[in-house]
Amino acid sequence: MFNDSGVSVLRESLRALIVDSKPGTQLPSVRSLQQEHRVSPNSVQRVLRELAVEGLVDVRPGAGSFVATAPPPRAPADTSWQESVLGSRIPPELNRTLDLWRIPGSDVIRLKGGYLDNELLPRAALDAAMTRAIKRVPSWGRYPIEGSEDLRRWFASEIDGVHASEVIVTAGGQSALSVAIRALVRPGEPVIVESPTYTGTIAIARSHGADVIPVPSDADGIRTDLLADAIERTGSRLVVLQPAFANPSGVTLSRARRDEVLALAQQHSLFILEDDYARYLGIDHEPPPPLISQDPSGHVVHVRSLSKPVGPGLRVAALCARGPALARLRAAKTLDDFYVSGPIQEAAVEFLTSPAWPRHNQLVRRALGERRDALLAAMTRLLPHVGIPAVPHGGLHLWVRLPAGVDDRDVAAAAYAEGVLVGEGSPWFPAGFDHSHLRLTFGETPAPMITEAVTRLARVLPPL
Ligand SMILES: Cc1ncc(COP(=O)(O)O)c(C=O)c1O
């Protein structure tokens, strides 16, 4: 009674019916198709499923089968008008910042990046903290703009002289820097930065229309003699600094210079934006206390991020300030994103107040020490002609000077061909013309791979 030719006839007659019907028309029932074509119910179902896969039929369980409503065919979008409307205002630094996020193939060893690698993430403790967090409070609800009370209190307990009411929780240090620069200077005004410095800071300031003024640093941090000149000359009211284990140079602002920087801020009524990104990344010793703890009168605006010492997925940082500046920062932050996601803030509190945090932090510092030492040892042995201006006592990076006449772009391209990703030094100079350095990140790569990476680098940088 049931036959294959019947199934073929059923299939063709349904196709013909679909072509002749409007979208949404109900098709005959399984029972009537079965009887009309003398095939089994399973065969009817199978044919309907085939036609559904082709997008010709909608099968609605319990209601029947219908001629599909096909989406209208879509012509490729012509977005060429956007090119001239958007213009060419994207600062090149923005592209460079985005370039930091390029993920290389698995066979490439990374000596470029800015976070801990997966091996060092406190995965289990963070998972457990998140589980506890979402049970503990109605964290999916609305949150205060300034952030969770508990988290603000935790940050305040960590930063000498800062009260919880002076803390705003932001989605990472990048957001805090962006809010602060936009709130504290107007487009067109000068912003002084140490040189070299974090490309993200340069990009934020430029995209806000600020005039970025570089002041060179040496082994003791920013040159305060040149800083005084730059302040006098430009009338800048904002200086951005990383006083501890600066990225990329690794240097720490000396005691004498800290005092000079604070005195200049008072004398000229300006703000210091203190990017304390490496607070929990000390290797040989703790960093000196933050500048904000020496400043009772609101000159220092302090940024402390958790994404470096904990993991890049924990997008949480503190932005601390006092006086009317705090209200400006709060307003700028509100415009950005209202507040940081509740569950993330609560998970951060759970993690930071558990024994897992000090344990993890100790482990990270030890691992960073091993990795830095492996990099220094391999550099000294295999690339003795590459200069190391300062051994970093903390942080994630080693800043090196190339032999005279060697260009960072050529080395980075040749190294990539050998399977090593290194950071060109030039993007870290606001003026951008210095091509004599590389930034080698040791924080993202286990020690044995670092040694292998330097071995490969030595092939492209032979001794002269
Ligand atoms: C010096 C410095 N500051 C701030 C940031 C921003 O990091 P996050 O937004 O993850 O805190 C970075 C990231 O690389 C950095 O290197």
Side-chain angles (χ1 to χ4, degrees), residues 166-170 176 179-180 273 301-303 317-321 326 329:
E166 297 165 334
V167 175
I168 300 172
V169 177
T170 65
V179 165
L273 179 52
V301 173
H302 178 90
V303 174
L319 176 59
C320 312
L326 181 63
L329 297 172

Side-chain angles (χ1 to χ4, degrees), residues 109-167:
I109 304 177
R110 288 182 76 109
L111 291 185
K112 179 177 179 178
Y115 294 100
L116 302 177
D117 57 329
N118 287 342
E119 198 172 286
L120 289 183
L121 301 189
R123 179 73 199 272
L126 283 176
D127 287 356
M130 181 56 109
T131 308
R132 289 196 305 274
I134 50 186
K135 279 194 195 139
R136 192 162 70 87
V137 282
S139 36
W140 294 109
R142 210 182 252 232
Y143 262 67
I145 299 281
E146 298 83 358
S148 119
E149 267 308 310
D150 289 349
L151 188 53
R152 295 168 77 203
R153 265 200 294 272
W154 182 85
F155 274 120
S157 73
E158 289 283 300
I159 311 168
D160 243 11
V162 169
H163 188 264
S165 62
E166 297 165 334
V167 175

Side-chain angles (χ1 to χ4, degrees), residues 115 172-174 177 198 242 247 275 277 305 307-308 315:
Y115 294 100
Q174 189 71 14
L177 291 172
Y198 172 48
Q242 300 169 55
N247 173 14
D275 181 1
Y277 90 104
S305 176
S307 54
K308 302 286 180 186
R315 307 280 323 139

Side-chain angles (χ1 to χ4, degrees), residues 185-193 205-206 208-214 234 236:
V185 294
R186 286 182 281 271
E189 288 185 350
V191 171
I192 295 177
V193 299
R206 291 230 167 103
H208 179 53
D211 185 11
V212 178
I213 314 289
T234 64
S236 172

Side-chain angles (χ1 to χ4, degrees), residues 31-357:
R31 191 180 172 79
S32 68
L33 289 170
Q34 173 205 344
Q35 283 171 353
E36 185 185 339
H37 293 277
R38 301 175 62 76
V39 293
S40 71
N42 279 349
S43 301
V44 177
Q45 306 271 23
R46 203 181 69 221
V47 171
L48 287 171
R49 273 201 305 273
E50 281 172 21
L51 295 172
V53 169
E54 285 180 46
L56 300 173
V57 168
D58 284 335
V59 180
R60 301 180 202 158
S65 300
F66 300 81
V67 177
T69 32
R74 209 177 131 176
D78 177 8
T79 55
S80 45
W81 63 273
Q82 291 187 0
E83 200 170 331
S84 52
V85 170
L86 293 173
S88 55
R89 278 167 295 176
I90 298 181
E93 288 76 16
L94 189 62
N95 290 333
R96 288 168 177 172
T97 308
L98 294 177
D99 185 51
L100 291 176
W101 294 91
R102 196 157 54 113
I103 296 177
S106 54
D107 50 336
V108 174
I109 304 177
R110 288 182 76 109
L111 291 185
K112 179 177 179 178
Y115 294 100
L116 302 177
D117 57 329
N118 287 342
E119 198 172 286
L120 289 183
L121 301 189
R123 179 73 199 272
L126 283 176
D127 287 356
M130 181 56 109
T131 308
R132 289 196 305 274
I134 50 186
K135 279 194 195 139
R136 192 162 70 87
V137 282
S139 36
W140 294 109
R142 210 182 252 232
Y143 262 67
I145 299 281
E146 298 83 358
S148 119
E149 267 308 310
D150 289 349
L151 188 53
R152 295 168 77 203
R153 265 200 294 272
W154 182 85
F155 274 120
S157 73
E158 289 283 300
I159 311 168
D160 243 11
V162 169
H163 188 264
S165 62
E166 297 165 334
V167 175
I168 300 172
V169 177
T170 65
Q174 189 71 14
S175 167
L177 291 172
S178 174
V179 165
I181 290 174
R182 284 185 291 114
L184 300 175
V185 294
R186 286 182 281 271
E189 288 185 350
V191 171
I192 295 177
V193 299
E194 61 203 314
S195 175
T197 196
Y198 172 48
T199 50
T201 297
I202 304 171
I204 293 166
R206 291 230 167 103
S207 67
H208 179 53
D211 185 11
V212 178
I213 314 289
V215 171
S217 61
D218 60 18
D220 286 333
I222 192 164
R223 293 256 318 260
T224 34
D225 53 334
L226 300 178
L227 175 61
D229 285 350
I231 295 168
E232 296 271 0
R233 202 176 57 253
T234 64
S236 172
R237 52 194 199 128
L238 178 63
V239 179
V240 190
L241 292 180
Q242 300 169 55
F245 314 136
N247 173 14
S249 65
V251 301
T252 294
L253 193 62
S254 70
R255 201 184 160 130
R257 292 211 186 150
R258 292 164 61 84
D259 294 344
E260 284 164 21
V261 164
L262 288 167
L264 283 169
Q266 274 175 14
Q267 190 187 333
H268 295 276
S269 297
L270 51 81
F271 288 102
I272 307 290
L273 179 52
E274 176 178 42
D275 181 1
D276 201 11
Y277 90 104
R279 172 59 38 187
Y280 302 105
L281 304 176
I283 295 173
D284 302 318
H285 51 74
E286 294 286 333
L291 291 176
I292 195 168
S293 61
Q294 261 179 271
D295 161 54
S297 36
H299 290 282
V300 179
V301 173
H302 178 90
V303 174
R304 182 169 300 193
S305 176
L306 296 179
S307 54
K308 302 286 180 186
V310 181
L314 193 66
R315 307 280 323 139
V316 168
L319 176 59
C320 312
R322 31 184 86 105
L326 181 63
R328 296 272 182 107
L329 297 172
R330 185 186 183 280
K333 194 258 179 303
T334 312
L335 286 185
D336 255 15
D337 58 1
F338 297 143
Y339 47 81
V340 176
S341 161
I344 289 291
Q345 294 193 58
E346 298 301 340
V349 173
E350 286 289 342
F351 176 71
L352 295 165
T353 54
S354 76
W357 160 238

